[in-house]
Amino acid sequence: MSQTFRHPEILDIARRDGKVTVEGLAAHFGVTLQTIRRDLTDLAEAGRLERVHGGAVLPSGTTNIGYAERRSLNADGKSAIAKACAARLPDDISVALNIGTSTEAVARALRHHRHLMAVTNNMNVADILAANNACRVIVTGGHLRHSDGGLVGPLAARTIAQFRFDLAVIGCSALDADGDLLDFDLEEVEVSQAILRQSRKVWLVADHTKFSRNAPARIGALAQIDVFFTDAALPGDLADRCAAWNTEVVITPP
């Protein structure tokens, strides 16, 4: 198989899994490690991937990848995380959910919960939860971001400030080695920070693809999180840090 045919499939695998490895691709295509290294170098030079040790990841930096691509990225992992999160989430509480494909997955897993009051700045989350007649849904208002249905800006943050939530379920675009939760849009970050301040407990839902990504704006830190739901072991010494911070880590492989 020539590189002309391999490159699109390599990108498809990277979008699905968040990362590709040299050994995994060599076995998949039945070619040498050196051939795959050349493919990844070509894709990195074209700006389609970023090289990391042993493979490559989707590019990130100051702009996020498209929302449709994020929805399909590791969908099984996000679904497993969402189900584990929903299984722990009780009925009869107030809950805040921010923008993101992971929080959308949680909303889908909450469609049979009873007597929830859900506040969100995500039109997609609101639409999903609207199917649950036992859930009262409150939308923050704010500037509508057409690309992903997010509501951002000062109005959204001021709406959040009117509440004191029993629980917040939040996502992030990236998680760095120090345990910082990162995102791309400062207006979105402002709303997520308001949710952190106004919640008695905070749960994070973030799959393993966030471990290898980067983003410029800081939401907060894992030290502020009560329970972290993910689908793979944490990199480096992050698990030990979470234990020191009393942040429970729940790993739910798909």
Side-chain angles (χ1 to χ4, degrees), residues 102-125:
S102 295
T103 48
E104 282 186 30
V106 172
R108 284 190 287 273
L110 292 176
R111 283 182 293 191
H112 300 293
H113 273 58
R114 298 182 58 79
H115 308 303
L116 293 180
M117 185 182 77
V119 180
T120 184
N121 65 322
N122 185 334
M123 295 292 290
N124 299 312
V125 165

Side-chain angles (χ1 to χ4, degrees), residues 123-144:
M123 295 292 290
N124 299 312
V125 165
D127 186 56
I128 293 165
L129 289 175
N132 182 351
N133 292 329
C135 179
R136 183 184 179 192
V137 181
I138 298 172
V139 181
T140 63
H143 171 68
L144 175 62

Side-chain angles (χ1 to χ4, degrees), residues 30-92:
V31 297
T32 66
L33 299 179
Q34 188 59 36
T35 295
I36 294 299
R37 290 191 184 101
R38 285 197 298 267
D39 286 342
L40 297 184
T41 298
D42 290 342
L43 288 166
E45 289 176 351
R48 307 299 298 278
L49 290 175
E50 289 180 355
R51 289 300 306 270
V52 296
H53 179 70
V57 298
L58 291 171
S60 60
T62 59
T63 57
N64 208 348
I65 60 177
Y67 204 68
E69 284 189 314
R70 300 207 306 274
R71 270 191 172 138
S72 62
L73 180 61
N74 192 27
D76 290 341
K78 291 175 184 176
S79 178
I81 290 167
K83 290 175 182 176
C85 176
R88 292 271 297 265
L89 197 147
D91 294 329
D92 298 290

Side-chain angles (χ1 to χ4, degrees), residues 174-186:
L175 181 68
D176 75 6
D178 293 325
D180 283 338
L181 284 56
L182 306 172
D183 224 310
F184 293 91
D185 187 326
L186 286 173

